[in-house]
Amino acid sequence: MSKSLHEVPVTTLKGVGAALATKLDKIGISNLQDLLFHLPLRYQDRTRITPLGMLQFGMDAVIEGTIAASDIVMGRRRSLVCRVQDGTGTVTLRFFHFSAAQKNSLKKGSTIRCFGEPRRGAHGLELYHPEYRIVSDSSAAPVEETLTPIYPATEGLTQPRLRSLCEQALKFIDNPDALQEWLPASVRDQHSLWPLTEAVRFLHKPPPDAELATIAEGVHPAQQRLAFEELLAHNLSLQQIRQRVRLQTGMALPGTNQLVDKFLGNLPFQLTGAQQRVFKDIHSDLSQPTPMMRLVQGDVGSGKTVVAALAALQTVESKHQAALMAPTEILAEQHYNNFSNWLKPLGITVAWLTGKTKGKKREQQLELIRTGEAEVVVGTHALFQDEVEFRHLALAIIDEQHRFGVHQRLALREKGRKIGAMPHQLIMTATPIPRTLAMSAYADLDCSVIDELPPGRTPVNTIVIGDDRRNQVIERVRAACKEGRQAYWVCTLIEESEALQCQAAEVTAAELTEALPDLSIGLIHGRMKPAEKVEVMNAFKEGHLHLLVATTVIEVGVDVPNASLMIIENPERLGLAQLHQLRGRVGRGSVASHCVLMYHPPLSQQGRERLQVMRESSDGFVIAEKDLELRGPGEVLGTRQTGLVSFRVADLERDKALLDTIKIAAEHLITIAPTHVQPLIDRWLPQGDQYADA
Ligand code: ADP
Ligand code: MG
């Protein structure tokens, strides 16, 4: 049996030495399989000769004719100009750089064949620096039989070079072992997929009649075949990670219900049906000796914190520690307050640790965590630094997962491994992840959804108006606050710069203080000291402030039920999911709430559509799906947030229609061809093992 192409280094090919190999490596090509998956960006048609009379501006073409004149012209730039005729018309070739040898070969009477893009010149169409050759006998110089690929290249790597390498690599796949077909015929039939080698061959050398428009869109069956396989491999890999985690030893935490029941008895409300159902999932996961890996999605205000507390209590009942990690100091602080209020009456010690916990206080907290005296620990990602030693951590709850991403998730598992057993993981996100994305980004997690809001909430009324009516909006704030309600005023900025955003908030706070002298106005932003932030937040919570001017730091988690009005400046700059998060800060009490989206005119068509979605829907899932539709997955998840691996061929947006079938195909493949799973993963995720181990 011959070698599989991923085992054949590019240096095997004719003409590839160390220098070229380095260049190829730069664009991710080290073996022949890489080379064949390095697909053309577009194609040129050199399969026929275009009569000069039919040449069109801007359309690449092969032409052939006789050189009627060849002169050096001294215009603004010295150039060599040849006039070529073929009986149907004429074209001018123009060379600004040319050698003496070149000039001699381009002499009157020679027959020349060129390829280039016609431009408009002073005397008709011109080709600048066309590729050309002098042909002595035209019939002996055949045109190309297939379209000519243009590859993604890099400096010092020319198209002819890449073409010749791919040509050589393509010869290898005549051997069926070289690029193995891992998709059984039944899978291919079911999803109408081309055989792999056929797809690869087609994309490198499409026939002259190939549908270039379809290829340009990336939806040609040959491309879809590869995208399908790649997505399938990713899905299989995530499933594999999930299975490996399941094989790890975890700690069974069956609980006793004592603390849970007491806690529920103390709550001023009943759990919603959805909260009960989701806790039931968690309860049963925690009772097993395999590590839980569960994602809880719940819209803003659906009451995820209570569910997290229940999970922590079950852990404490089973004599282990639970940790809750939040993405920001403010949110961590808030969770800490909630947990302290709920759990201290039950005799539970809650420790608190963030990057900003310093000195003696830090020592104290670390000690509580190490000895296990603190059964529950709340903090930021500082919790997972090396110096933090848990006595017996058995549950890690991560709030607002979308801000952490796959890598932190893996780091956490690593932490678990260091302490001998893998902690259970509960991941909570308030940014609903569109189902299709969840399937690719979070296929390693089980998922529960809190799909019901606590009773008695009145939906937020959302208003979209231009900032030319700012004064009216300010009046509205005054009126609401006079009625004893509280309001947020959120400042946004395009720039990623937190400093600028904070500055804008400071300016706005000053303006509003001037405009509304009878209101007490607070300011909160990311650059304030944690203690200051807490102070402002508490003042707002306790009703000492009417209006809180804020940056998007208040996006997640902040919970002040009496706040029923929110103004968001320049909402067109934010993603819909983020707007939904922000808006979720109001509508938490029983009075009717309002959210004013105060945009800066003029709005683009897409901007208008997006704000319209906010007006019409209050369902985070609907909004997320719409956002995905309007902006695509990269934007929606944001690279920072996803940990999504990048794809070679597939494109989550373009290929989202495939995603539904991928899951079915993956299950099918595992059943009928389990031995194909690993080779498929290895083909598309050669670094996959790093993840798989974690
Ligand atoms: P989120 O899911 O956005 O994190 P929280 O956990 O902050 O939501 O809950 C939002 C508010 O709803 C809190 O004030 C919380 O106490 C309250 N809450 C949670 N569950 C219920 C319930 N079942 N009935 C009434 N209020 C609830
Ligand atoms: Mg929350």
Side-chain angles (χ1 to χ4, degrees):
M1 196 174 120
S2 70
K3 275 194 180 174
S4 175
L5 286 191
H6 72 273
E7 299 165 320
V8 184
V10 276
T11 45
T12 318
L13 298 179
K14 253 195 315 196
V16 184
L20 184 54
T22 312
K23 278 179 198 153
L24 288 167
D25 192 59
K26 261 201 200 130
I27 50 172
I29 300 174
S30 62
N31 60 56
L32 298 196
Q33 181 177 285
D34 296 336
L35 192 57
L36 290 180
F37 288 164
H38 189 69
L39 298 178
L41 293 168
R42 56 192 175 85
Y43 304 88
Q44 292 170 341
D45 188 352
R46 304 185 182 206
T47 61
R48 60 208 142 92
I49 293 172
T50 304
L52 292 178
M54 312 260 291
L55 266 192
Q56 278 179 32
F57 162 75
M59 302 276 286
D60 289 343
V62 180
I63 56 135
E64 189 172 292
T66 313
I67 299 181
S70 179
D71 302 291
I72 291 178
V73 177
M74 302 304 289
R76 235 177 346 141
R77 277 173 80 187
R78 179 171 173 268
S79 55
L80 173 64
V81 172
C82 305
R83 293 193 64 71
V84 177
Q85 300 178 328
D86 72 349
T88 70
T90 25
V91 71
T92 304
L93 314 184
R94 195 179 286 275
F95 300 86
F96 294 106
H97 313 278
F98 55 92
S99 62
Q102 236 175 336
K103 173 170 187 320
N104 290 337
S105 72
L106 292 168
K107 59 179 188 290
K108 187 172 167 179
S110 302
T111 304
I112 187 170
R113 184 175 298 170
C114 304
F115 179 81
E117 183 192 321
R119 313 175 171 218
R120 288 203 186 91
H123 310 285
L125 293 174
E126 300 192 352
L127 300 177
Y128 285 12
H129 285 273
E131 289 175 39
Y132 74 91
R133 71 185 147 137
I134 302 295
V135 289
S136 44
D137 175 6
S138 167
S139 57
V143 288
E144 302 283 337
E145 279 168 19
T146 56
L147 299 180
T148 305
I150 308 291
Y151 293 100
T154 180
E155 199 168 327
L157 195 59
T158 62
Q159 291 297 335
R161 202 25 132 4
L162 272 167
R163 262 173 233 149
S164 108
L165 297 179
C166 287
E167 285 278 343
Q168 289 185 58
L170 282 172
K171 297 224 168 72
F172 282 74
I173 61 175
D174 294 336
N175 177 334
D177 291 335
L179 195 61
Q180 278 248 19
E181 177 62 80
W182 297 116
L183 300 190
S186 64
V187 173
R188 295 206 314 264
D189 288 348
Q190 195 177 354
H191 302 283
S192 317
L193 298 172
W194 285 24
L196 179 63
T197 48
E198 222 172 277
V200 167
R201 225 180 245 123
F202 179 94
L203 290 171
H204 287 281
K205 308 184 74 168
D209 61 349
E211 296 162 39
L212 285 180
T214 315
I215 300 180
E217 278 175 47
V219 295
H220 190 279
Q223 293 160 307
Q224 291 286 290
R225 152 66 210 227
L226 290 171
F228 185 97
E229 185 175 314
E230 184 172 30
L231 290 169
L232 181 69
H234 277 262
N235 186 291
L236 289 168
S237 144
L238 284 170
Q239 289 202 37
Q240 198 177 62
I241 293 176
R242 174 192 180 121
Q243 255 146 26
R244 288 194 197 174
V245 171
R246 300 258 180 311
L247 291 177
Q248 306 244 11
T249 321
M251 292 147 275
L253 310 168
T256 60
N257 284 339
Q258 276 184 352
L259 293 169
V260 166
D261 287 345
K262 251 194 230 162
F263 170 71
L264 290 176
N266 289 349
L267 277 183
F269 49 75
Q270 299 261 307
L271 293 187
T272 61
Q275 284 170 317
Q276 287 176 22
R277 179 171 44 72
V278 171
F279 180 57
K280 212 165 143 208
D281 291 344
I282 296 169
H283 183 89
S284 114
D285 286 352
L286 291 176
S287 309
Q288 305 300 318
T290 39
M292 166 171 77
M293 295 275 294
R294 185 167 292 277
L295 176 70
V296 171
Q297 298 192 54
D299 209 340
V300 181
S302 61
K304 292 181 292 293
T305 322
V306 175
V307 173
L310 288 166
L313 286 170
Q314 183 172 339
T315 309
V316 178
E317 284 172 357
S318 310
K319 308 289 175 224
H320 279 81
Q321 284 173 303
L324 169 61
M325 172 163 83
T328 65
E329 298 263 334
I330 294 189
L331 189 51
E333 176 86 29
Q334 183 163 306
H335 279 320
Y336 175 68
N337 291 337
N338 275 330
F339 272 49
S340 297
N341 291 340
W342 286 335
L343 306 186
K344 280 185 180 157
L346 304 176
I348 295 170
T349 304
V350 183
W352 159 249
L353 193 82
T354 74
K356 295 185 172 135
T357 317
K358 293 268 152 65
K360 193 149 174 248
K361 167 98 189 187
R362 186 176 187 88
E363 287 308 314
Q364 236 172 25
Q365 300 299 309
L366 287 172
E367 179 72 11
L368 287 175
I369 300 170
R370 185 168 50 242
T371 58
E373 198 182 325
E375 293 108 324
V376 175
V377 185
V378 178
T380 57
H381 52 269
L383 285 182
F384 298 98
Q385 289 163 356
D386 279 343
E387 68 164 322
V388 185
E389 250 179 75
F390 289 87
R391 168 102 166 83
H392 40 212
L393 178 67
L395 169 66
I397 305 166
I398 306 176
D399 196 13
E400 314 298 350
Q401 152 71 14
H402 67 290
R403 295 184 157 234
F404 287 111
V406 162
H407 298 288
Q408 274 97 345
R409 212 151 80 212
L410 298 179
L412 182 57
R413 286 178 208 168
E414 193 54 35
K415 185 100 187 164
R417 187 156 44 182
K418 281 197 194 121
I419 61 168
M422 179 77 96
H424 297 279
Q425 282 181 56
L426 181 63
I427 290 150
M428 306 199 296
T429 171
T431 304
I433 301 155
R435 200 177 45 87
T436 45
L437 285 187
M439 263 171 40
S440 22
Y442 300 102
D444 58 332
L445 304 175
D446 293 314
C447 185
S448 306
V449 183
I450 308 184
D451 52 5
E452 181 185 351
L453 293 180
R457 300 268 168 89
T458 40
V460 181
N461 175 30
T462 300
I463 303 138
V464 178
I465 70 177
D467 61 11
D468 42 353
R469 287 164 66 192
R470 192 182 180 92
N471 287 338
Q472 264 168 276
V473 173
I474 293 176
E475 271 320 302
R476 187 172 187 141
V477 171
R478 187 202 307 274
C481 293
K482 283 285 154 211
E483 282 171 24
R485 289 184 282 145
Q486 290 172 282
Y488 297 98
W489 188 292
V490 185
C491 304
T492 62
L493 268 191
I494 265 180
E495 284 85 351
E496 283 285 274
S497 157
E498 206 194 344
L500 286 174
Q501 199 182 35
C502 298
Q503 208 183 342
E506 274 165 10
V507 171
T508 306
E511 278 169 16
L512 289 173
T513 306
E514 196 165 311
L516 298 166
D518 40 351
L519 299 188
S520 60
I521 298 177
L523 169 67
I524 189 161
H525 61 60
R527 297 204 129 195
M528 287 159 54
K529 294 212 174 72
E532 290 171 347
K533 280 191 267 187
V534 171
E535 202 177 306
V536 174
M537 229 29 249
N538 285 341
F540 189 61
K541 215 168 195 164
E542 284 158 21
H544 304 316
L545 295 174
H546 296 109
L547 176 63
L548 185 62
V549 178
T551 57
T552 49
V553 290
I554 58 150
E555 176 191 341
V556 283
V558 171
D559 185 27
V560 180
N562 191 47
S564 62
L565 174 60
M566 173 173 279
I567 319 299
I568 304 177
E569 286 202 66
N570 304 113
E572 68 276 15
R573 293 170 174 173
L574 300 181
L576 292 189
Q578 205 179 357
L579 283 173
H580 181 64
Q581 280 297 314
L582 281 168
R583 185 174 60 179
R585 302 307 113 214
V586 292
R588 298 188 153 235
S590 47
V591 289
S593 293
H594 302 273
C595 177
V596 178
L597 302 176
M598 193 169 63
Y599 64 89
H600 187 67
L603 266 188
S604 67
Q605 174 62 26
Q606 205 208 52
R608 196 164 316 152
E609 271 176 57
R610 294 175 62 232
L611 297 186
Q612 182 73 4
V613 172
M614 290 304 296
R615 255 186 40 184
E616 285 167 1
S617 181
S618 57
D619 179 332
F621 285 84
V622 171
I623 290 174
E625 292 284 356
K626 273 283 180 205
D627 208 13
L628 181 66
E629 206 175 283
L630 289 168
R631 291 194 308 157
E635 287 286 315
V636 170
L637 286 170
T639 41
R640 170 174 64 95
Q641 301 174 350
T642 54
L644 265 188
V645 248
S646 55
F647 296 99
R648 294 193 203 188
V649 181
D651 174 327
L652 279 183
E653 187 175 11
R654 183 192 70 200
D655 302 326
K656 64 180 175 222
L658 288 178
L659 292 170
D660 273 333
T661 55
I662 293 291
K663 199 175 169 212
I664 301 163
E667 278 157 18
H668 186 55
L669 188 90
I670 291 170
T671 343
I672 63 160
T675 54
H676 293 196
V677 170
Q678 198 57 50
L680 267 172
I681 294 175
D682 292 344
R683 171 177 288 166
W684 292 97
L685 295 112
Q687 265 93 53
D689 272 353
Q690 279 173 2
Y691 291 96
D693 271 357

